Amino acid sequence: MDVTNLESVRDNDFIHAVMEESGQDLTHCYQCGNCTAGCPCGFAYDIQVSQIMRNLQAGRKDKVLNSRSIWLCLSCSSCTTRCPNNIDVARVMDVLRHIARREGRVAEKGVTTFWDAFLASVRKHGRVYELGVVANYVARTGRVWTDIDLLPRIAPKGKLSPMPHDIKGRDEIARIFQRYEEERTR
């Protein structure tokens, strides 16, 4: 059993930052466990969703931000849908990822590497260029042979175009990225 003296670890600033950024009142969670029961990724988590919420309430910043669970969350919103107190738990998990990334706490580097490859593709083409995302991810991780066995099944479906398809209105996408960069550096 993990016993903690809350007076020594409680980070009230962290609790308030998560509540403010997510727009959710963490005090409404009474640990019913519905979020955990409905989570399709719970089998892979080091800390279950309900325990993430409890650790948040306790202000255990290090435990929460260093967990693998926040990175493995699919953002499917099953937890949010099942919450009897209408807490957007998926939004809370999203905010935790953002805070962790800002602080350089990335427990699952492959996830952030994929996000970066995905966003680089959208930034460049205005949409996802799947083959480009895969190439970027492989170049950053060195995981060349990981999913090569999927190629014979995927290639005939024509889903991996050898050339990117740019969209109309790419400048609107560029403005979104520019606004994001400006807000991030404030």
Side-chain angles (χ1 to χ4, degrees):
M1 176 182 267
D2 189 13
V3 179
T4 304
N5 177 351
L6 289 181
E7 296 305 316
S8 66
V9 297
R10 186 177 182 86
D11 187 332
N12 287 319
D13 292 337
F14 173 61
I15 297 168
H16 293 297
V18 172
M19 287 178 31
E20 185 174 318
E21 197 169 330
S22 70
Q24 304 303 302
D25 188 343
L26 302 175
T27 64
H28 290 172
C29 176
Y30 57 79
Q31 297 297 299
C32 68
N34 283 346
C35 53
T36 295
C39 182
C41 284
F43 70 91
Y45 286 178
D46 56 344
I47 304 171
Q48 294 301 315
V49 183
S50 60
Q51 290 306 302
I52 291 283
M53 295 298 288
R54 182 64 189 124
N55 280 294
L56 272 171
Q57 290 172 328
R60 297 182 73 189
K61 180 178 181 177
D62 290 336
K63 183 156 181 99
V64 171
L65 294 184
N66 293 333
S67 78
R68 293 177 62 236
S69 303
I70 63 174
W71 296 101
L72 298 176
C73 171
L74 299 172
S75 299
C76 68
S77 295
S78 290
C79 50
T80 299
T81 303
R82 295 176 61 104
C83 181
N85 286 330
N86 297 318
I87 300 170
D88 190 343
V89 181
R91 175 73 182 134
V92 171
M93 295 290 273
D94 210 25
V95 165
L96 292 173
R97 281 189 296 273
H98 290 286
I99 293 171
R101 188 157 187 182
R102 284 194 301 260
E103 293 189 9
R105 301 179 192 222
V106 179
E108 289 291 322
K109 301 243 186 276
V111 173
T112 56
T113 303
F114 181 80
W115 281 3
D116 292 343
F118 179 90
L119 288 175
S121 177
V122 173
R123 181 181 290 223
K124 185 173 182 179
H125 305 289
R127 65 177 300 279
V128 177
Y129 168 45
E130 292 85 356
L131 194 57
V133 171
V134 170
N136 189 333
Y137 179 76
V138 166
R140 291 179 185 207
T141 63
R143 297 179 61 180
V144 178
W145 306 110
T146 304
D147 294 320
I148 200 73
D149 60 318
L150 298 175
L151 192 57
R153 292 186 295 182
I154 295 172
K157 295 180 181 186
K159 297 292 183 183
L160 293 177
S161 172
M163 299 302 294
H165 301 286
D166 295 337
I167 66 163
K168 293 178 185 172
R170 280 186 36 216
D171 23 326
E172 284 89 359
I173 301 294
R175 282 198 294 274
I176 291 170
F177 278 100
Q178 180 181 5
R179 190 175 68 228
Y180 164 75
E181 292 296 332
E182 290 169 359
E183 289 178 13
R184 190 175 73 148
T185 57
R186 283 185 196 164

